[in-house]
Every structure is written in C-alpha cells, then in structure tokens.
Amino acid sequence: MDIDLPYTLELISDLPGHDERAWQVAWNPTKPLLASCSADKSVRTYSYRSSDNGSKSLTFSHVSTIPTGHTKTVRSVAWAPSGKTLATGSFDSNVGIWEREDISDSEDAGESAGDWECVTLLEGHETECKSVGYSSSGTLLASCSRDKTVWIWEVKPDADFECMGVLMEHSQDVKCVAWHPSEEILASASYDDTIKLYVDDPSEDWFCFSTLSGHKSTVWSLSWSPQGSYLASSSDDLTIRIWKRVEEYKWKSVLELGGHERSIYSISWGVGKGVSENLGWLATTGGDGKVNVWEITETQHTKDPLSAKLLARISGAHDVNDVNSVSWCPRLEHPDLLATAGDDGSVKVWRMVPS
C-alpha cells in the first residue's frame, strides 16, 4: 500500500460465484445493476442499494445467473444505454442479445422482474468474439473477433438487427471495440499493435479513417475520455497511451503512462471527482494484479497538453490472479465506484476513499 497517495481503494464488496475466470464486468447505466461474464459460459447480475442505516455504504446482492446457452466462454458483456438490453460476445463466435421478460421501469432492479431470455443470436464471426459494445445512442452495436473483423449492426425495433458493415482493416485478432461517448465513431484495438478509428460515410459504408500506431505490442483495451476529446489505449508493451483529437479526423499520441509489470488488459476512464480542468480518473489493471487510478488533467502547454497524477494503487486486487477487467460506475451518484473481474472467478467492487 502506498502511504503517500491521496486516495485508497477500499474493497466494499467481494462477489464470488463464477466457476471459472471472470472476463468482464459491466455496470448498468440506468439501474443499480452490475453484470459479469465468465469462462463458465454464464452471466451473473448483482443489484446494489444503500444500506438501511443511512450510511454511505452499499449492499450488493446476487440477482440472477443467466446460463446463456453459449457453447464456449462468454468473453464480453455490454449494456445498451437504455439499461434494458444486454449483449454477450462468446468464443463460440456468436453475439447474444438478452432482454428481461416483463421489464418494468421501476428503480428496483430486484428479484421480482422476469428471467433474462435470448431474443436474438447474431451470427457472422468465423471464430471467437472478443468484445461487444453499444453506441451512445443505442442504435448501433459493434463486435470484434479473432477472425480479424469488426462488425457493425444497426439495432432495429423488436430485437431485429441489420449488419451495416464488416470491417477488415486489422491484420490480426481484434481484442476490443469502443464507441465514442457522444458521436458515432468506433475504435478497435488489435494483436497487430494498432488502433483503428471508423465512421459512417453517408454516401457509402463504414470505413477506417485513421490508424493509430505507436504501441510496440498487442493493444488490449480502449477507453474514451468522458468528454470524448481523448482516447486511452493499453498494451502488452506495458504502456498506456492517451491520444488527443487535434482535428476532426486526426488524433495524436500526447501522453504515455506505465505503472504495470505485466500486460495491461483493461482500462476505464470515469468522470471522477475534482476540478474542472480534471478530465477524470483513468483506472488501469492487468496481469500483475495491480489496479492503478490516475487523475488526468489538461495543461496549458501545447507540447505536453496532459499531465497524470497517480491517485491510488492496490496490489493483488484478486490475490495472485490476473485482473481481466476494470470499470467505473457510470451513474452520477457513484463516480467513485470501481468494479474488477479476475481469474479467481470473482467480481470485486471498490470505492475511492480520500486517504
């Protein structure tokens, strides 16, 4: 534990339950729900609520286990912006779309709602699907695969989907897709060490408008800054890079961070707490079992437009196990909540507490 850091990561809930490694954790954007997916082919959901004693503490409880029917590992899980639909990406190459029977709009995410059912199965990838994600409007879904492709689907009413494009820009396994927080720009990261950015050409189709090169090994994870003017990437080369939007279709690398001894599998950029120049909090994790939280701030220097300050660090977040996923809670009342998923099959929830 680093004594002199301004924050500590306090464990507020340990949620074991998966029989095999937990790959990803995702917070519902509108309801007090958390979902995780695993090599055990299931998705587990947890609800949380404030404790009855009026303190700030939260109580997390297991709501449901979705057996999914995927025949292999569920590698990725993502909520639609409405919070009513869940997408799963599996090593069986398919993408599942899940909705709850009888969805009520009540705040209570509780046990009374119906079971989750698979309303659509999206087929098309030839091999393992590695990542899925919804656009900010909820009208588009992206998926990527070891088959080197990125697919973009239009989300239609009644759980209908139409393929809008199959993008074959990467030369290797595509590890991650991430949508811009407000625009229809998609980013993908790959085993070919690059990041690709895509937009829709109104007269044609989706196309790659930029390739971001600089990482020296596999790019594992991507996360946009909450305002959307920066993109963070993490790599097997033990660095995190932050790319700045300098023109509408041009991005450049402006900051490089370290802090890990092994591959950095997952990063998440949250709004954080603090002053207006603060671009939020960037959490990073990976094969060394550490979680680091950086405060990213804009400076007045054109040469070095960003500065980063380490706010908190924890080692052995999942004991001796790799940590595969880190994610900030997107709900405004909980900007200091962070969830992780690890090879021990557990999901853990942490709070940033001033030291």
Side-chain angles (χ1 to χ4, degrees):
M1 191 62 75
D2 299 70
I3 309 301
D4 52 350
L5 292 178
Y7 286 83
T8 53
L9 279 165
E10 179 185 296
L11 180 65
I12 63 167
S13 195
D14 185 357
L15 305 166
H18 284 298
D19 298 329
E20 295 181 52
R21 68 176 53 153
W23 273 116
Q24 194 173 13
V25 60
W27 297 87
N28 187 300
T30 62
K31 298 183 177 67
L33 271 180
L34 185 62
S36 61
C37 63
S38 165
D40 68 10
K41 312 182 189 68
S42 76
V43 169
R44 291 173 67 87
T45 64
Y46 301 91
S47 63
Y48 56 96
R49 58 189 177 86
S50 298
S51 302
D52 298 328
N53 58 12
S55 72
K56 239 189 109 176
S57 63
L58 292 171
T59 306
F60 283 75
S61 43
H62 174 246
V63 179
S64 61
T65 300
I66 309 170
T68 79
H70 282 298
T71 57
K72 294 180 180 173
T73 289
V74 182
R75 177 64 181 85
S76 180
V77 62
W79 295 97
S82 67
K84 296 179 177 179
T85 306
L86 191 64
T88 52
S90 168
F91 283 0
D92 68 9
S93 80
N94 297 328
V95 174
I97 306 297
W98 302 83
E99 287 177 4
R100 239 177 179 173
E101 305 159 3
D102 172 38
I103 299 170
S104 67
D105 283 321
S106 68
E107 254 302 285
D108 176 31
E111 293 65 347
S112 55
D115 291 336
W116 290 91
E117 57 177 337
C118 185
V119 291
T120 305
L121 196 65
L122 301 177
E123 299 173 308
H125 286 299
E126 291 171 16
T127 54
E128 300 170 356
C129 177
K130 296 293 179 77
S131 174
V132 288
Y134 280 92
S135 65
S136 61
S137 64
T139 55
L140 296 166
L141 176 75
S143 61
C144 66
S145 164
R146 198 161 71 102
D147 66 13
K148 309 175 192 173
T149 67
V150 172
W151 287 56
I152 296 175
W153 308 83
E154 185 180 3
V155 183
K156 303 256 189 146
D158 303 324
D160 196 18
F161 286 76
E162 182 184 344
C163 177
M164 303 302 286
V166 178
L167 301 158
M168 297 181 279
E169 298 291 332
H170 287 293
S171 60
Q172 299 286 340
D173 182 1
V174 191
K175 300 290 189 186
C176 176
V177 283
W179 288 97
H180 187 278
S182 58
E183 299 175 48
E184 288 188 350
I185 298 174
L186 179 67
S188 63
S190 168
Y191 189 68
D192 67 12
D193 310 348
T194 70
I195 298 152
K196 306 276 184 184
L197 300 175
Y198 313 89
V199 287
D200 186 13
D201 177 345
S203 62
E204 305 247 343
D205 288 318
W206 283 82
F207 72 102
C208 174
F209 70 82
S210 184
T211 299
L212 307 183
S213 302
H215 282 298
K216 311 248 180 331
S217 190
T218 301
V219 187
W220 281 105
S221 181
L222 298 167
S223 188
W224 296 88
S225 66
Q227 306 87 340
S229 45
Y230 296 89
L231 175 66
S233 57
S234 72
S235 169
D236 231 27
D237 66 12
L238 311 187
T239 69
I240 296 118
R241 280 180 181 251
I242 299 182
W243 311 79
K244 180 180 182 177
R245 188 179 206 167
V246 287
E247 293 169 24
E248 187 178 7
Y249 293 121
K250 189 176 175 195
W251 303 72
K252 74 170 190 181
S253 178
V254 291
L255 187 66
E256 195 173 299
L257 300 172
H260 290 277
E261 282 88 61
R262 297 182 65 184
S263 297
I264 307 166
Y265 291 137
S266 180
I267 53 177
S268 178
W269 200 328
V271 292
K273 288 178 162 180
V275 292
S276 56
E277 299 85 81
N278 175 353
L279 290 169
W281 291 349
L282 182 67
T284 67
T285 194
D288 60 7
K290 276 186 193 163
V291 178
N292 292 334
V293 177
W294 300 86
E295 181 179 62
I296 310 294
T297 309
E298 282 187 298
T299 68
Q300 300 308 311
H301 310 295
T302 44
K303 188 170 173 291
D304 298 308
L306 290 187
S307 69
K309 174 181 160 190
L310 187 64
L311 292 184
R313 160 177 285 167
I314 191 159
S315 298
H318 288 252
D319 299 319
V320 298
N321 298 279
D322 289 15
V323 186
N324 297 312
S325 176
V326 63
S327 181
W328 290 106
C329 181
R331 302 181 77 212
L332 293 175
E333 62 268 42
H334 299 300
D336 53 355
L337 279 193
L338 189 65
T340 55
D343 274 2
D344 56 359
S346 275
V347 169
K348 294 189 179 186
V349 182
W350 311 82
R351 175 175 272 133
M352 289 279 282
V353 179
S355 297

